[in-house]
């Protein structure tokens, strides 16, 4: 009985260590991760936290590390070796990028049934079929990053691995899907806001979330969920000819997904979104801490902040209440919708990017150009 006792103590110790970094790295599967990850994995995560890596990046690395460990144990019966041999990397590609047609001919093609069953039972696999190429590339990139942080050299740039990925992607074409099938443009947002018509805490909060997320440049759901009172700074009102001045507010985003460690990203709110946000702060009596919080079934405001997934759920719920198909909308639709709406209103792309804080012109213009191309002169030659 001594061995199970030592094993349980080790798991408990890892769970406690995960708790020490939870304030920086939100973890909702702590107990599962404590059993899955090794002592060295926990130490690597702690090191990354101490290095000041962004929360979103840390979340992604932790998620990918947990998946890789679960896959390795299911596929090889052992934890991930560090550094990983090239054969294991090629096995990972073969298990995740495969052809459904070929599996009909050869049942051993792709991920073995017992490996798939193990990952599905642990909650790591939900959809059927091969993985998206971008998901495989991201997990390999995370694997490479974690290898480097251990002071080791991997073979992630080997010609055979690159060739295997390229050939697998070519053999299994997948149409690229947007994170939100449809953009939440101005007209769609108006319909969603119309569902927030009462003075209930939930309606006041959701109205503020939708307006702030959209008007601040299409903020990511993690940025909205993590927004705190000390990130807000009142600005001088904006004069308007023939009308009262508009309230103005600065949101200090700090370090974001695409900014450097020392760069403080700032975006601005003007007019109605400021009023909506102030209305929520007053109704919920929020003077410090997290801005957007959970609300229980009786309408009581919690001290706990919303999770990023809750922002996505709110967008879908409001879409359904507005008579729209919730499957076609997600929180990312507010981000793509902001740039699409900017294009519809003739706002120059550089000006829109100043608010959205996109670093990649190519990424931003993919939303912007679809709107301008559809309505532009080049599409109306006849």
């Amino acid at each position: 009985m001594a061995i199970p006792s030592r094993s349980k103590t080790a798991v408990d110790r890892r769970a406690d260590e995960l708790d020490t970094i939870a304030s920086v790295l939100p973890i909702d599967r702590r107990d599962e991760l404590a059993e899955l990850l090794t002592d060295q994995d926990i130490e690597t995560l702690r090191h990354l936290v101490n290095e000041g890596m962004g929360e979103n990046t840390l979340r992604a690395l932790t998620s990918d590390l947990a998946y890789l460990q679960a896959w390795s144990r299911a596929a090889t019966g052992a934890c991930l070796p560090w550094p990983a041999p090239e054969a294991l990397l090629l096995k990972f590609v073969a298990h995740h990028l495969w052809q459904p047609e070929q599996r009909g001919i050869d049942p051993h093609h792709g991920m073995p049934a017992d490996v798939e069953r193990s990952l599905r039972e642990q909650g790591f696999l939900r959809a059927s079929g091969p993985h998206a190429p971008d998901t495989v590339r991201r997990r390999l990139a995370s694997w490479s990053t974690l290898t480097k942080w251990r002071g080791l050299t991997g073979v992630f740039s080997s010609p055979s691995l690159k060739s295997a990925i390229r050939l697998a992607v070519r053999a299994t074409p997948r149409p690229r899907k947007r994170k939100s099938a449809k953009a939440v443009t101005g007209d769609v947002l108006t319909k969603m806001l119309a569902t927030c018509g009462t003075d209930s805490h939930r309606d006041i909060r959701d109205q503020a979330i939708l307006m702030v997320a959209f008007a601040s440049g299409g903020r990511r759901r993690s940025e909205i969920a993590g927004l705190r009172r000390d990130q807000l700074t009142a600005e001088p009102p904006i004069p308007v000819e023939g009308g009262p001045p508009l309230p103005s507010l600065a949101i200090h985003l700090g370090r974001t997904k695409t900014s450097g460690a020392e760069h403080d990203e700032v975006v601005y709110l003007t007019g109605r979104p400021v009023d909506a946000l102030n209305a929520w702060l007053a109704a919920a009596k929020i003077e410090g801490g997290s801005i957007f919080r959970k609300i229980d079934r009786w309408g009581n405001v919690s001290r706990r902040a919303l999770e990023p997934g809750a922002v996505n759920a709110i967008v879908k719920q409001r879409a359904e209440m507005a008579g729209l198909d919730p499957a076609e909308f997600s929180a990312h639709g507010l981000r793509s919708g902001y740039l699409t709406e900017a294009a519809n209103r003739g706002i120059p792309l550089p000006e829109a990017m100043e608010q959205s804080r996109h670093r990649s012109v190519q990424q931003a213009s993919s939303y912007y150009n679809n709107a301008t191309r559809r309505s532009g002169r080049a599409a109306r030659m006849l």
Side-chain angles (χ1 to χ4, degrees), residues 299-327:
N300 299 313
V301 180
S302 169
R303 292 185 179 182
R304 297 178 60 190
L306 283 179
E307 297 171 354
V311 178
N312 198 56
I314 288 169
V315 171
K316 289 184 173 294
Q317 181 186 35
R318 293 298 173 176
E320 186 173 20
M321 292 174 68
L324 305 170
D325 183 357

Side-chain angles (χ1 to χ4, degrees), residues 347-355:
I347 297 173
L349 178 58
E351 184 178 342
M353 287 178 63
E354 280 294 313
Q355 184 77 340

Side-chain angles (χ1 to χ4, degrees), residues 16 25 44 94 105 178 302:
D16 291 340
L25 174 61
T44 300
I105 302 172
R178 291 201 181 277
S302 169

